[in-house]
Amino acid sequence: MLTLKLFWSFFKIGAFTFGGGYAMIAMVKDALVDHNKWMDEDEFWESITLAQALPGVFAINMALYTGNKIKGMTGSFAAMMGASLPSLIIIMVIASFFRDMNEYETVRNVFSGIRPCVAALIIVPGIKMLKKANVNAKTFWIPLSACLLICLFGISPIYLIMAAIVAGIISTRWFSARRK
C-alpha cells in the first residue's frame, strides 16, 4: 500500500508540474513534508541540495531518494515510475496527434500563459532555499557571484557546483584544523 502511495504521490507531481525541477519544489515539499510526513523540512531541504548536486533529472533524483528512504528499492522504483510516467504519456500523446504544435494558436496561447507561472514556481523555492542556506549579509556574495558568473559569463552551473564542493571540503578541513 505504501508503495502505491509513493507511486501516486510522484505521479501527481510529475503530471501537474510544468517547468522542470525548480518549478516542482513546492509540490514536492507539500507531498513529502506537509501531506505524507515522510521527512521533516530540514531533511527535505538537504535532499533538495543532494538531488540538485547529483547528475540526472531533479524529479527522478528526488523520487529515488524518497522512495529508498521510505520503502527501499521497491519504493525507489515506484516513486521513479510515478515521476516518469506522466511525461512519457504526455510526450507520446503530443507526438501522436500534433506534428507542428507551434502552428496552433491555442497551443501558443497555452504556453504563453504557463511561462509566467513557471517563472514564479522557480523564483519562490529559490528564495526559500536562500533562507534555508542561512544566506546573510556576510555570505550573500556567494549566490550573487554564482548568478553573475552564469548570467554574464556563461559559466556552466556544473563548474560552480564542483567548485562549491571543493571549497566546502577545503574550508571545513581548514577550520577544523585551526580549532585543534
Side-chain angles (χ1 to χ4, degrees), residues 80-138:
M80 184 265 308
M81 290 303 293
S84 304
L85 273 177
S87 296
L88 179 64
I89 293 167
I90 291 167
I91 288 170
M92 290 176 72
V93 168
I94 289 171
S96 298
F97 294 106
F98 299 108
R99 299 210 187 248
D100 297 312
M101 284 183 30
N102 281 334
E103 289 182 15
Y104 299 99
E105 185 178 350
T106 304
V107 173
R108 285 194 308 268
N109 291 339
V110 166
F111 284 113
S112 70
I114 289 174
R115 282 186 199 108
C117 186
V118 169
L121 290 172
I122 293 170
I123 291 168
V124 171
I127 293 168
K128 288 182 179 181
M129 288 174 70
L130 279 174
K131 289 178 183 176
K132 279 293 182 183
N134 294 323
V135 174
N136 55 40
K138 291 181 182 179

Side-chain angles (χ1 to χ4, degrees), residues 7 9 27 34 40 63 78 80 87 96 108-110 119 141 172 177:
F7 172 85
S9 293
M27 275 189 83
D34 303 332
D40 64 30
M80 184 265 308
S87 296
S96 298
R108 285 194 308 268
N109 291 339
V110 166
W141 66 271
T172 302

Side-chain angles (χ1 to χ4, degrees), residues 8-19 23-24 27 86 90 121:
W8 185 242
S9 293
F10 277 96
F11 186 88
K12 289 187 291 188
I13 290 166
F16 295 105
T17 304
F18 294 92
M24 70 183 352
M27 275 189 83
I90 291 167
L121 290 172

Side-chain angles (χ1 to χ4, degrees), residues 69-80:
K69 178 185 183 307
I70 305 304
K71 195 84 168 132
M73 292 294 285
T74 306
S76 288
F77 182 75
M80 184 265 308

